[in-house]
Amino acid sequence: YNEDLDGEQAPAAVKVWKAAVAACDGVLIASPETNYGLSAPLKNALDWASRYPSNLWKGKAGAIVSTGGGAGGARGQLQLRQVGVFLDITFVNAPEIAIKRFEKKYFDHETGDLISDTWRQRVGELLDRLIKLVSITRSVSAETF
């Protein structure tokens, strides 16, 4: 994010990003964990859509998935949830999707597809809950809650 470039003179890619955020009712964020936190590109994308012309995240529903070593990205998710408080994103809290990438064969090595039935079911449940949360947040104005 660069405040000096924000506004009408923002790069074209930023304008496209902001339009997409403004048009959506909910967002699924998939992010790796970087040094126990959220990734710099994700933080940058969140920041670009949080200022001019206004906080475009306000009142949106969100869900988070991650995969990685150690805790499967759980620490990055926690930091993202903290940022979401300021941005006024209402996140689905459960089920938590933080897959330990290197401990078991949860993904197809060649395609990257999720092949674990357990995790596929949990991701499906998360998406179902996100859809329900979107319908709730859409029916209530952002100023109300």
Side-chain angles (χ1 to χ4, degrees):
Y1 175 75
N2 184 335
E3 188 174 15
D4 293 337
L5 296 179
D6 207 353
E8 296 302 321
Q9 68 275 12
V14 169
K15 291 178 180 178
V16 170
W17 170 243
K18 288 182 177 190
V21 172
C24 76
D25 293 316
V27 60
L28 173 66
I29 299 174
S31 179
E33 181 177 285
T34 305
N35 296 329
Y36 285 24
L38 68 145
S39 69
L42 174 58
K43 180 66 168 75
N44 197 36
L46 293 168
D47 288 348
W48 274 110
S50 71
R51 291 179 173 69
Y52 179 87
S54 64
N55 177 12
L56 301 174
W57 299 108
K58 184 176 183 175
K60 306 263 188 213
I64 307 168
V65 298
S66 63
T67 184
R75 294 168 294 224
Q77 285 193 27
L78 289 173
Q79 189 178 37
L80 177 55
R81 288 176 186 282
Q82 288 176 319
V83 172
V85 169
F86 174 79
L87 298 177
D88 196 18
I89 300 171
T90 302
F91 285 113
V92 173
N93 289 317
E96 184 178 57
I97 308 297
I99 303 172
K100 295 180 181 181
R101 175 79 167 105
F102 306 108
E103 289 188 12
K104 294 187 180 176
K105 188 173 166 85
Y106 296 126
F107 297 90
D108 181 280
H109 180 69
E110 291 183 21
T111 65
D113 292 344
L114 183 59
I115 58 174
S116 164
D117 289 338
T118 300
W119 282 110
R120 290 170 63 99
Q121 182 179 1
R122 290 185 78 184
V123 169
E125 184 181 346
L126 180 78
L127 293 173
D128 287 344
R129 289 181 178 203
L130 176 60
I131 291 166
K132 289 175 186 172
L133 185 58
V134 164
S135 74
I136 292 167
T137 57
R138 187 187 305 151
S139 67
V140 179
S141 84
E143 287 71 38
T144 303
F145 62 95

